[in-house]
Amino acid sequence: MSSILFTAEFGTTVAWLSQLPHGQLPEIAFVGRSNAGKSSAINALCQRRRLAFASKTPGRTQALNFFKLGSPRGEPQAWLVDTPGYGFAAAPTSVREGWGRLAGRYLAERVGLRGVVLLVDCRRGLTALDRSLLAFVRSDTRLLVLLTKADKLPFSHRQQALTSLRQALRSEGLPSDAQLLAFSANTSLGLVEARTVLENWLENDGAALPSPIHS
């Protein structure tokens, strides 16, 4: 399967909003709690083992990592954006506030943002911190929610987790085109489906797609 995601390579690190790349190329942001499997998901979707790295001290790294998509020798055609993990117990208050000033404002204000991928650990479900994160996401921004590490659950428990997550998402008043997938970077569960969603976002460059929540 040919995919623009397979061309991903590191572009730049942004510690301040003033450092954001210029222009309005389409961007897709990955967000989630520390240890939700965000780096593993990015690497699996892009077929790269070490494209995105998990911090040795989860919750401490406060920067946006931009990965460019397109010809390696040409200008980027789009960006994948790895946001800092949030909610780690050891993170001091200043770090938590820093997340909102950088990643939160990026999600709320970035013109080129076409979609957000929220990663939710299947064993935790949607947490209060995830709900706080969703408050930053604009209503006109597409949303894909990946129930990560889903291979660790028996099929029946996985279905229960999907149902609970779907209900929790709908209780947040999310738009009807929000999507939900069980996902595992280890077994490739949901990998093709998630990749297809992201490809559609980039190909349509912001056009609305009818895509109801599904499992």
Side-chain angles (χ1 to χ4, degrees), residues 125-144:
L126 196 71
T127 67
L129 286 166
D130 295 320
R131 290 183 167 89
S132 297
L133 171 281
L134 290 172
F136 286 103
V137 180
R138 301 191 310 268
S139 60
D140 62 344
T141 302
R142 291 190 182 100
L143 179 65
L144 169 64

Side-chain angles (χ1 to χ4, degrees), residues 18 48 71 80 96 126 131 139 147 165 167 170 192 198 208:
S18 60
R48 296 280 299 277
S71 173
L80 292 186
R96 295 170 188 257
L126 196 71
R131 290 183 167 89
S139 60
L147 187 69
L165 181 55
Q167 292 173 345
R170 286 174 172 162
V192 172
L198 303 188

Side-chain angles (χ1 to χ4, degrees), residues 31-191:
V31 300
R33 284 180 56 94
S34 302
N35 298 331
K38 183 159 51 64
S39 297
S40 296
I42 293 174
N43 291 337
L45 287 164
C46 297
Q47 284 196 341
R48 296 280 299 277
R49 287 187 177 183
R50 299 177 65 81
L51 180 66
F53 291 88
S55 172
K56 293 182 180 179
T57 307
R60 296 284 184 173
T61 302
Q62 297 300 302
L64 307 174
N65 288 315
F66 278 67
F67 302 104
K68 63 179 182 178
L69 304 178
S71 173
R73 298 181 180 178
E75 293 296 320
Q77 297 174 339
W79 298 98
L80 292 186
V81 184
D82 185 10
T83 68
Y86 55 86
F88 190 64
T93 301
S94 60
V95 172
R96 295 170 188 257
E97 293 175 348
W99 193 97
R101 287 194 298 269
L102 178 62
R105 286 189 59 194
Y106 165 78
L107 295 174
E109 301 173 11
R110 186 64 166 169
V111 174
L113 187 61
R114 296 295 185 262
V116 171
V117 182
L118 171 63
L119 293 98
V120 175
D121 190 317
C122 69
R123 295 163 297 183
R124 288 180 175 269
L126 196 71
T127 67
L129 286 166
D130 295 320
R131 290 183 167 89
S132 297
L133 171 281
L134 290 172
F136 286 103
V137 180
R138 301 191 310 268
S139 60
D140 62 344
T141 302
R142 291 190 182 100
L143 179 65
L144 169 64
V145 183
L146 299 182
L147 187 69
T148 61
K149 308 177 185 180
D151 60 300
K152 298 183 181 297
L153 296 178
F155 178 79
S156 60
H157 292 181
R158 185 190 309 160
Q159 294 305 110
Q160 292 173 5
L162 283 167
T163 298
S164 297
L165 181 55
R166 184 181 296 111
Q167 292 173 345
L169 290 169
R170 286 174 172 162
S171 72
E172 294 301 308
L174 295 178
S176 60
D177 62 351
Q179 295 176 280
L180 170 63
L181 290 170
F183 185 87
S184 170
N186 290 330
T187 66
S188 299
L189 174 68
L191 184 63

